[in-house]
Amino acid sequence: MYRVSFFNTKPYDKVFFNKLKDKYDIVIDYHRSKLTEHNVKLAEGSDAVVAFVNDTINDKVIDALVKFNIKVIAMRCAGFNNVDLEYAKGKVVVLRVPAYSPYSVAEHNMGLLLSLNRKLNRAYNRTREFNFSLNGLTGFDLHGKTIGIIGTGKIGRTFIDICKGFKMNIIAYDLYPIPDSDIKYVDFNQLCEESDIISLHCPLTPDTYHLIDENAINRMKDGVFILNTSRGGLIDSEALLKGLINQKIGAAGLDVYEDETDIFYEDYSNEIMKDEILARLISMPNVFVTSHQAFLTEEALVKIAEVTLENLYDFFHGNERKNEVQS
Ligand code: NAI
């Protein structure tokens, strides 16, 4: 039996991992806290750690894992921008779940777009108070509108399929366009200039950090909608806020936020929100924030548990590590 320290545990994680752990000969110690340099000591005595998107896997955490003789980190997610891969090289192996359900994220993304455009969140609150006025709830037909997709990987392409169903005009930008595909690729500036809606589906890397900054926003159409279910750091939040205040940006649907690490997944409803940018964004009627939940479907959780445990099983048994992250 191998022993695994599982950080940042939520009740829904336990449901799906507990169902499968015996099959993979693994004992799991669940920790509620995030993995940081301050509580990495919880992992002492384990053979591996399992971490998630908002854990911090920096040089200090990696040094501690090496000290505890832990040779593997299994990310139970696709993204790994929170891991210092350069530093991890040769010290710990990093595994991930490259794909679990592109449908979960793409469908949530369309949910954000429909809610923002047709003001469903506002309509819901109104009718609950028997306010049946329609003032301020005017939307537009998605049919025929131009949507710019940044990143045509698994999720971007799944979202393109959904947009096709709405008969939207789809353009895309990707650093590595798919050869011979029927996707109409344009360059980044053209995408900014021509899109009524811009949807982000590329990873957060040093190249894509603040891809949507003041310059990019200035190029966009007046009233543009911006959707981000990818990573918060892709958007300069201050520039986004400015664009919303001066009404350059018509609406923003955000499942991620660049400073979400200490905020998302926790209940702050009894406290004063200290992040002023997030508080201001949430106060706006044309901003819809969800708490990094786009992945959260049953199908995705089953797949995450299966692939994470299989990754660890393969590592422990010397099998091929098909989901190893290379720096
Ligand atoms: P993927 O790896 O299949 O596709 C990413 C695409 O982005 C690729 O086509 C790649 O060529 C492109 N790309 C890379 N660098 C680029 C750049 N500098 N400019 C433009 N395009 C670039 O990834 P997948 O599965 O489609 O996921 C996309 C992102 O969604 C992930 O990186 C992750 O951050 C995010 N995600 C969010 C979730 C959520 O719950 N909100 C859940 C899962 C993923």
Side-chain angles (χ1 to χ4, degrees):
M1 285 269 187
Y2 290 93
R3 197 163 203 102
V4 165
S5 255
F6 195 106
F7 284 85
N8 217 339
T9 311
K10 301 292 177 229
Y12 48 81
D13 291 318
K14 279 191 183 176
V15 171
F16 293 93
F17 276 84
N18 280 346
K19 275 188 195 155
L20 290 170
K21 64 183 170 36
D22 293 342
K23 179 177 160 194
Y24 291 97
D25 237 10
I26 281 171
V27 177
I28 305 181
D29 295 320
Y30 291 106
H31 310 299
R32 222 193 140 268
S33 47
K34 292 192 179 112
L35 176 56
T36 66
E37 60 205 65
H38 305 297
N39 53 32
V40 59
K41 55 184 168 299
L42 291 168
E44 195 164 5
S46 302
D47 302 295
V49 297
V50 173
F52 196 50
V53 290
N54 287 340
D55 291 310
T56 305
I57 300 144
N58 59 15
D59 52 346
K60 294 192 183 71
V61 168
I62 292 164
D63 282 344
L65 295 179
V66 170
K67 199 171 109 199
F68 301 151
N69 205 23
I70 294 175
K71 296 187 169 60
V72 59
I73 301 169
M75 301 301 294
R76 55 181 196 279
C77 50
F80 45 85
N81 51 285
N82 51 333
V83 182
D84 187 340
L85 276 187
E86 269 309 309
Y87 196 77
K89 206 171 180 175
K91 300 185 181 84
V92 277
V93 168
V94 180
L95 307 168
R96 69 169 183 141
V97 184
Y100 30 92
S101 165
Y103 312 105
S104 63
V105 182
E107 289 170 12
H108 187 86
N109 202 48
M110 182 48 90
L112 287 176
L113 175 55
L114 289 172
S115 304
L116 281 167
N117 176 27
R118 304 309 300 271
K119 299 19 180 197
L120 300 181
N121 46 340
R122 299 182 64 200
Y124 172 76
N125 285 329
R126 280 190 194 183
T127 54
R128 275 168 60 86
E129 294 199 347
F130 305 103
N131 173 358
F132 299 106
S133 153
L134 298 185
N135 294 336
L137 301 188
T138 309
F140 54 80
D141 290 359
L142 291 180
H143 183 110
K145 292 294 178 304
T146 297
I147 185 153
I149 311 287
I150 300 182
T152 53
K154 292 173 283 298
I155 296 171
R157 289 201 308 277
T158 306
F159 188 58
I160 287 176
D161 286 343
I162 294 174
C163 294
K164 281 183 183 165
F166 283 79
K167 301 274 188 292
M168 301 180 78
N169 173 39
I170 300 156
I171 56 176
Y173 164 70
D174 195 303
L175 206 54
Y176 310 99
I178 303 165
D180 304 323
S181 81
D182 62 354
I183 298 173
K184 186 180 169 201
Y185 285 103
V186 295
D187 68 31
F188 178 70
N189 287 344
Q190 193 182 344
L191 182 139
C192 290
E193 285 155 14
E194 293 183 4
S195 301
D196 300 299
I197 300 146
I198 293 177
S199 194
L200 297 169
H201 303 288
C202 61
L204 177 61
T205 65
D207 286 343
T208 59
Y209 177 72
H210 284 187
L211 185 68
I212 305 298
D213 59 6
E214 197 164 348
N215 274 338
I217 291 170
N218 286 339
R219 284 185 180 276
M220 294 176 192
K221 283 187 177 179
D222 290 346
V224 62
F225 277 34
I226 298 178
L227 302 171
N228 189 6
T229 49
S230 205
R231 283 293 180 269
L234 296 175
I235 300 183
D236 176 347
S237 313
E238 285 190 38
L240 177 75
L241 185 62
K242 194 170 157 200
L244 283 156
I245 290 172
N246 65 25
Q247 298 183 344
K248 172 78 181 170
I249 299 171
L254 310 172
D255 186 52
V256 287
Y257 171 63
E258 65 175 323
D259 294 319
E260 70 180 50
T261 305
D262 293 328
I263 302 172
F264 282 13
Y265 302 132
E266 305 302 329
D267 179 0
Y268 287 101
S269 57
N270 291 315
E271 295 176 35
I272 304 298
M273 175 44 61
K274 294 197 181 67
D275 188 315
E276 292 190 10
I277 294 181
L278 182 62
R280 186 79 170 98
L281 287 171
I282 288 174
S283 77
M284 296 184 171
N286 51 349
V287 175
F288 196 155
V289 174
T290 53
S291 177
H292 208 139
Q293 73 169 78
F295 72 99
L296 197 65
T297 64
E298 278 198 27
E299 290 81 357
L301 290 171
V302 168
K303 186 89 180 174
I304 286 171
E306 265 173 10
V307 177
T308 305
L309 292 173
E310 204 172 277
N311 282 345
L312 285 171
Y313 184 92
D314 286 343
F315 176 86
F316 291 141
H317 293 85
N319 301 339
E320 186 202 350
R321 304 196 290 252
K322 47 190 179 301
N323 294 323
E324 180 171 351
V325 183
Q326 309 287 352
S327 61

